[in-house]
């Protein structure tokens, strides 16, 4: 068997075929292979191929991205096993293309673009020897302080679902995809210990509906989360795995644990529907065989898990031509161009008073702020990528304007920076966060419940690691690994960055503030003073060029916020990084703002353009539909300005006479449209009746008959939205 350090081969085994198979043929092959496997081999397939204490120091030392992580390779039968590499901002293996983070891509509101991103990710991964992409992260952004906010697409269930679906469809042209983290994993620091309480309605409508969409789109795998849900760990939670995922949604792929700490008890996990323990041999390896032999876990459960693993390996091995996956497909010019396009389409123009942007006639630009000159692509945990280069904002602007035209100050001394700004025609201040402020978090000291998963140390190094984890001391030999990250300490910028902005704006009224962050930022200390504000997010390896394109007007910004930017944390749901228990309900994001009558700084769906648009003539295909029908909603959209631009038409619904409390509005469809100046186009959105359903614990999904209101809006707080009513019979 391969070991942790030798698993870089591009061997997909006998399951890779040029031939295309029908679903029946795939099933037949899976069953045939299953019959040939011994019980030991079956259990071997159900966990990672690395002995725990061999793999653990490497993984914890940052080696997670050194090669693919293999599970269940059986050379005797040509079974390649699962060959995992992470994402989501690109494949984490060396040389792959680094895209903007998911939150940025969510701000593009362009699912066709997301599918193209997925296509590149899948193709690059297969060329790098992987067959399984772990980066379809669609956890809901309940609170913008969540450390891994950047790995997901935003705060809205519908928007998350269609983005997750698009990425999955693109990736799965080449390799298996895994959607994660199932479920209710919306906090970071407490992820290994928190119990999330949730009622059936909030669970189904708000926290699971997007997972269901991705499952129905055919995702190969689902990764269970670390946290506990209603008193049971998600990795061994029968309601989540057996009942909802496998039974109700008919999922025929495999479930796998989140890495190392995602399973607590082998028997419970097996019986709950957990198929694969990743990435090491641990609890299944120690206990599953005797549990089967003693009749505590039926053999059929083990067969079912293996059938699921085999089915997906066969499904994604068939119809392949190795010539499509040569090394040249990795990080090539075409893929980097797509990274640039994605970054351009992600940028959100938040404020542009006095039409500061696009910048014209720049002779001298002062670029200010430490983030302008460091590669800042986001999180330093499992999503950290290794691109060939990163174009910083400073580099992008210098390339565009000429080196001499752009001066730079890191902003450490605000007075000095202001002086530089004073001498320039325009100042660009780049501020925000890095992986030190937000990202994945790996606590040094482990909770006793977590430590209980560790197998007996087999080496002196292993014993030292256990001791270090117990005491919260640095681990021996630790190099690399996760940077601080975690849930954010604050939603506003650092006080010194806020002071810097104010100083520079005072020195030069033609100042653009560019923010880099993974989710919402509170901007109250300086929002009124700054004439122009641009949200750059973590924009990937080509981000600096994309920024220059937008600031100089070569590209007209068309991104829209995928999360609400609040004025104050008081308008957000309860969030405590250290909580041991928390309740998730129906209320967060724009739904909560609308219910509470609160006004955000920048609403969900908001973004400006260098042109203007007008919407008119809203019409419905019918004034009534059945719950299984589909309504077509059409509007005439005109670019009323003088430059080409993109608008995102957003469809929200409300149910004024509902018997139950519903969100005042909910996003149900959207479309990003490009229009030439003066062009008018009819834009049609589809609204399936099933999207109108709410969840009732007693009777499942219910589409209430009665009156519904549809709004076509430019964002969630658009007072000028066009509205029309229709009836559901
Ligand atoms: C993260 C997952 C990731 C896994 C493997 C875990 O710590 O939560 O998102 O896929 O590591 O890298």
């Amino acid at each position: 068997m391969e070991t942790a350090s030798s698993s870089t081969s591009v061997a997909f085994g006998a399951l890779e075929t040029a031939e295309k198979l029908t679903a029946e043929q795939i099933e037949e092959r899976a069953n045939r292979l299953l019959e040939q496997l011994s019980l030991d081999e079956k259990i071997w397939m159900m966990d990672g191929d690395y002995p725990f204490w061999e793999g653990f120091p490497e993984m914890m030392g940052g080696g997670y991205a050194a090669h693919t992580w293999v599970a269940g390779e059986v050379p005797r039968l040509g079974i390649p096993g699962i060959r995992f590499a992470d994402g989501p901002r690109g494949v984490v293996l060396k040389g792959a293309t680094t895209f903007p983070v998911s939150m940025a891509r969510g701000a593009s509101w362009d699912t066709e673009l997301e599918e193209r991103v997925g296509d590149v990710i899948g193709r690059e991964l297969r060329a790098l020897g992987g067959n399984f992409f772990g980066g379809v992260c669609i956890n809901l952004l309940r609170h913008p302080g969540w450390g891994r906010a950047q790995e997901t697409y935003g705060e809205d269930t519908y928007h998350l679902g269609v983005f997750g679906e698009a990425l999955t469809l693109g990736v799965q042209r080449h390799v298996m995809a895994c959607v994660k983290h199932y479920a209710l994993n919306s906090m970071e620091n407490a992820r290994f210990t928190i119990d999330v309480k949730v009622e059936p309605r909030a669970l189904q409508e708000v926290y699971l509906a997007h997972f269901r969409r991705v499952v129905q789109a055919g995702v190969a795998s689902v990764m269970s989360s670390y946290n506990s849900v209603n008193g049971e760990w998600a990795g061994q939670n029968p309601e989540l795995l057996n009942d909802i995922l496998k039974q109700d949604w008919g999922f025929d792929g495999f479930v796998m644990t989140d890495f190392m700490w995602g399973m607590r008890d082998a028997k419970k996990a097996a019986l709950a529907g957990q198929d694969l323990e990743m990435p090491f041999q641990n609890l299944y390896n120690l206990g599953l065989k005797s549990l089967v032999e003693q009749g505590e876990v039926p053999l059929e459960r083990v067969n079912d898990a293996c059938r699921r693993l085999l089915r997906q390996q066969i499904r994604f091995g068939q119809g392949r031509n190795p010539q499509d996956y040569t090394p040249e497909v990795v990080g090539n010019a075409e893929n980097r161009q797509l990274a640039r396009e994605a970054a351009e389409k992600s940028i959100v123009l938040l404020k542009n008073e006095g039409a500061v942007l696009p910048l014209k006639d720049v002779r001298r630009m002062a670029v200010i702020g430490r983030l302008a000159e460091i590669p800042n692509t986001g999180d330093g945990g499992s999503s950290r990528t290794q691109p060939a280069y990163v174009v910083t904002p400073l580099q992008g602007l210098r390339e565009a304007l000429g080196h001499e035209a752009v001066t730079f100050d890191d902003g450490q001394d605000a007075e000095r920076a202001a002086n530089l700004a004073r001498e320039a025609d325009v100042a660009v201040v780049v501020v925000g966060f890095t992986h030190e402020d937000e990202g994945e978090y790996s606590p040094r000291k482990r909770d006793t419940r977590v430590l209980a998963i560790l197998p007996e140390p087999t080496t002196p190094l292993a014993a030292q690691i256990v001791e270090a984890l117990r005491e919260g001391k640095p681990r021996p030999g630790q190099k690399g690994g996760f940077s601080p990250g975690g849930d954010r300490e604050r939603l506003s910028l650092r006080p010194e960055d806020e002071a810097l902005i104010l100083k520079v704006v005072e020195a030069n009224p033609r100042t653009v503030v560019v923010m880099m962050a993974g989710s919402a930022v509170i901007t109250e200390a300086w929002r009124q003073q700054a004439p122009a504000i641009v949200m750059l997010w973590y924009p990937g390896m080509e981000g600096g060029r994309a920024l220059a394109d937008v600031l100089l007007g070569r590209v007209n910004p068309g991104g829209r916020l995928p999360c609400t930017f609040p004025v104050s944390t008081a308008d957000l749901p309860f969030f405590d990084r250290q909580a041991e228990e928390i309740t998730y309900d129906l209320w967060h994001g724009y739904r909560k703002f609308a219910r509470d009558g609160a006004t955000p700084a920048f609403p969900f769906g908001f973004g400006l353009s260098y042109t203007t648009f007008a919407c008119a003539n809203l019409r419905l295909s019918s004034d009534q539909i059945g719950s299984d029908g589909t309504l077509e909603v059409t509007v005439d959209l005109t670019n009323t300005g003088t430059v080409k631009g993109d608008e995102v038409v957003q469809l929200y619904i409300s149910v004024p006479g509902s018997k139950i409390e519903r969100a005042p509005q909910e996003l149900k469809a959207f479309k990003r449209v490009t229009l030439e100046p003066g062009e008018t186009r009819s834009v049609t959105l589809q609204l399936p009746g099933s999207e109108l359903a709410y969840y009732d614990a007693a009777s499942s999904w219910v589409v209430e008959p009665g009156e519904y209101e549809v709004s076509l809006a430019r964002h969630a707080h658009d007072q000028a939205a066009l509205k029309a009513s229709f009836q559901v019979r």
Side-chain angles (χ1 to χ4, degrees), residues 52-256:
F52 193 94
W53 288 118
E54 189 178 303
F56 188 86
E58 186 196 2
M59 174 67 89
M60 295 296 278
Y64 67 90
H67 54 77
T68 60
W69 289 84
V70 183
E73 181 181 15
V74 185
R76 179 177 83 81
L77 297 171
I79 298 171
I82 303 299
R83 289 164 179 262
F84 171 97
D86 227 319
R89 62 182 191 250
V91 178
V92 296
L93 302 172
K94 199 161 184 195
T97 307
T98 293
F99 291 96
V101 294
S102 304
M103 186 64 72
R105 281 151 35 206
S108 74
W109 292 63
D110 187 340
T111 50
E112 180 268 336
L113 171 69
E114 186 63 8
E115 193 168 332
R116 283 194 283 141
V117 168
D119 180 70
V120 166
I121 288 176
R123 194 187 303 267
E124 289 192 353
L125 177 53
R126 199 162 191 100
L128 286 162
N131 63 9
F132 185 39
F133 178 61
V136 184
C137 177
I138 58 167
N139 290 111
L140 181 127
L141 184 70
R142 174 180 172 273
H143 188 285
W146 176 35
R148 294 181 77 178
Q150 62 187 269
E151 289 188 57
T152 193
Y153 296 102
E155 71 182 33
D156 177 75
T157 309
Y158 172 79
H159 175 271
L160 275 167
V162 293
F163 266 92
E165 178 180 25
L167 183 66
T168 300
L169 293 177
V171 166
Q172 292 203 156
R173 291 190 200 139
H174 309 286
V175 293
M176 297 175 260
C178 168
V179 66
K180 68 189 185 185
H181 311 78
Y182 183 79
L184 299 109
N185 182 176
S186 293
M187 301 173 57
E188 186 55 13
N189 292 26
R191 65 179 166 157
F192 301 110
T193 46
I194 187 107
D195 183 38
V196 182
K197 303 278 184 218
V198 65
E199 295 284 338
R201 185 172 164 215
L203 177 70
Q204 295 277 355
E205 273 181 43
V206 179
Y207 288 91
L208 294 190
H210 42 303
F211 279 95
R212 185 184 53 175
R213 185 182 293 271
V214 177
V215 165
Q216 286 171 351
V219 77
S221 171
V222 173
M223 184 192 284
S224 54
S225 55
Y226 292 122
N227 54 283
S228 144
V229 174
N230 290 334
E232 183 56 273
W233 303 107
Q236 53 193 47
N237 189 309
E239 189 196 353
L240 286 179
L241 304 183
N242 277 341
D243 301 352
I244 298 177
L245 176 64
K246 292 185 172 176
Q247 198 177 309
D248 297 352
W249 301 349
F251 176 61
D252 71 352
F254 60 91
V255 179
M256 76 169 181

Side-chain angles (χ1 to χ4, degrees), residues 385-399:
T385 48
Q386 310 176 69
Y389 62 82
V390 176
V391 180
T392 64
L394 180 62
Q395 186 187 336
L397 288 162
R398 280 193 164 147
E399 276 180 15

Side-chain angles (χ1 to χ4, degrees), residues 617-666:
N617 198 14
L618 172 64
R619 50 209 188 268
L620 310 182
S621 55
S622 168
D623 58 6
Q624 50 172 304
I625 57 167
S627 57
D628 54 356
T630 292
L631 191 70
E632 286 192 349
V633 182
T634 303
V635 75
D636 294 337
L637 180 70
T638 305
N639 179 345
T640 50
T642 53
V643 289
K644 181 176 162 184
D646 289 9
E647 174 63 301
V648 179
V649 180
Q650 302 167 32
L651 187 159
Y652 296 86
I653 62 134
S654 50
V655 200
S658 177
K659 291 202 304 282
I660 56 156
E661 186 183 24
R662 297 185 73 149
Q665 59 190 9
E666 282 180 88

